[in-house]
Amino acid sequence: MLDEMVFRSEDVSAADRFTYWTELLGRTHAPMELRSDHTDDFRASQRVLDLGAVTVWSATFQPLVFRRTPKLIRQSDPEAYHLSLVVRGTGAGVWRHRETEYKPYDLFINSSSLPNDVYSTGEAVQTVALEVPKALLPLPRDMAGRIVGAPVSAREGMGALLAQFLTRLIADSAAYQPSDRPRLASIATPLVAALFAHLLEAGDCLPPETRQRALTFRIRAFIREHLHDPHLTPSAIAAAHHISTSYLHRLFRDEDVTVAAWIRRLRLEAARRDLTDPALRATPIHAIAVRWGFIRAADFSRAYRAAYGTTPKDHRHQALQYRK
């Protein structure tokens, strides 16, 4: 089963529970100021699943206020996006640019880098959450504000897809092995990217420069989602997004890499993860290559050697021998 950490406020005395919970959140997420009317005997619990770069957790807690101030952000910023599926409870988030209420089956999007107050009200709150490093979802600063606090329903569309993944994973984490962590993270990150791209695309009044950045972000998410497709070519990508191939190349000109080179790099990185995964040691190399869009074994071997200075076979043997 996946490694997980479980925290319960009942593990300490009633007088220490609120302080314990505040310190816990500071270690597992980011330093925050917390306020609650239940500090005398605060009740909360949390399960944390570590998927490597990505973290998933479920939490239940009595109503309180989370506050990230500019001072706390300067002191410590994990630079991550935080997405919470509200299972039970209500509340609101307040940022300088937006105030958003939330209710059951809303997805609540936040950023560790933006000052905010998050309020929960009424009954105890239950959430299933996901934290993704911003480095995996590079958004320009002027676009991050459009994402954070944006109202998202988890009952339909992209929000529902992400919510189904999170709830299923938390409900059945015992069905996965520790070696599944990078694979689960590789599912979660494109789902978040697709949701962000959908939210950015929804704004018809974006200025041209911002709209162009949103399109580039959406294309990147599309490429990650279709890496397995051997027909993922610049012309196919352009057609899927109703733009010309020349315009697609212009979009990537500022990325310091061609479209084809970026696709090849992502495929090689994915194949490398699989080749060095002990759980896939019985999977033939050519099957892994095909899984990531390399139809011809010779093309895969040549590209792999150029990128990593060794053959796929030798790299796999060395990595798996080291892990014994």
Side-chain angles (χ1 to χ4, degrees), residues 71-141:
K71 181 179 179 180
L72 288 173
I73 292 170
R74 288 192 300 271
Q75 290 175 354
S76 176
D77 183 6
E79 297 192 356
Y81 290 110
H82 178 114
L83 296 90
S84 294
L85 169 66
V86 182
V87 179
R88 187 174 75 236
T90 58
V94 180
W95 301 265
R96 290 172 181 168
H97 69 290
R98 176 180 283 150
E99 180 172 346
T100 303
E101 294 184 350
Y102 62 81
K103 60 187 183 302
Y105 268 76
D106 284 345
L107 269 170
F108 186 73
I109 304 174
N110 205 349
S111 164
S112 65
S113 307
L114 295 179
N116 61 82
D117 287 357
V118 179
Y119 301 83
S120 57
T121 57
E123 62 179 341
V125 176
Q126 181 182 353
T127 65
V128 179
L130 172 71
E131 198 159 82
V132 182
K134 291 183 177 181
L136 298 181
L137 299 164
L139 277 176
R141 185 177 296 273

Side-chain angles (χ1 to χ4, degrees), residues 34-240:
L34 267 60
R35 299 198 310 271
S36 176
D37 294 333
H38 305 275
T39 55
D40 291 342
D41 186 11
F42 189 71
R43 301 301 178 97
S45 64
Q46 179 171 287
R47 289 172 57 207
V48 181
L49 302 179
D50 181 4
L51 304 184
V54 175
T55 305
V56 175
W57 70 88
S58 62
T60 303
F61 50 89
Q62 289 179 297
L64 48 67
V65 177
F66 304 87
R67 170 169 287 177
R68 280 280 284 168
T69 65
K71 181 179 179 180
L72 288 173
I73 292 170
R74 288 192 300 271
Q75 290 175 354
S76 176
D77 183 6
E79 297 192 356
Y81 290 110
H82 178 114
L83 296 90
S84 294
L85 169 66
V86 182
V87 179
R88 187 174 75 236
T90 58
V94 180
W95 301 265
R96 290 172 181 168
H97 69 290
R98 176 180 283 150
E99 180 172 346
T100 303
E101 294 184 350
Y102 62 81
K103 60 187 183 302
Y105 268 76
D106 284 345
L107 269 170
F108 186 73
I109 304 174
N110 205 349
S111 164
S112 65
S113 307
L114 295 179
N116 61 82
D117 287 357
V118 179
Y119 301 83
S120 57
T121 57
E123 62 179 341
V125 176
Q126 181 182 353
T127 65
V128 179
L130 172 71
E131 198 159 82
V132 182
K134 291 183 177 181
L136 298 181
L137 299 164
L139 277 176
R141 185 177 296 273
D142 62 333
M143 290 168 61
R146 293 186 54 81
I147 294 295
V148 172
V152 182
S153 172
R155 298 184 183 277
E156 59 186 10
M158 300 305 305
L161 285 177
L162 181 57
Q164 288 166 14
F165 170 78
L166 292 175
T167 53
R168 184 67 178 270
L169 176 59
I170 284 293
D172 197 22
S173 61
Y176 304 97
Q177 300 299 319
S179 58
D180 290 321
R181 293 165 60 212
R183 287 187 282 272
L184 291 167
S186 71
I187 295 171
T189 304
L191 284 174
V192 176
L195 173 62
F196 283 8
H198 170 78
L199 294 174
L200 291 169
E201 190 181 34
D204 296 330
C205 57
L206 292 175
E209 181 181 352
T210 304
R211 189 160 53 243
Q212 179 175 305
R213 290 179 179 178
L215 175 60
T216 303
F217 184 82
R218 181 161 58 94
I219 290 171
R220 280 175 167 267
F222 177 87
I223 289 172
R224 289 183 181 278
E225 193 175 350
H226 294 83
L227 280 178
H228 63 280
D229 184 355
H231 303 296
L232 184 69
T233 61
S235 58
I237 296 167

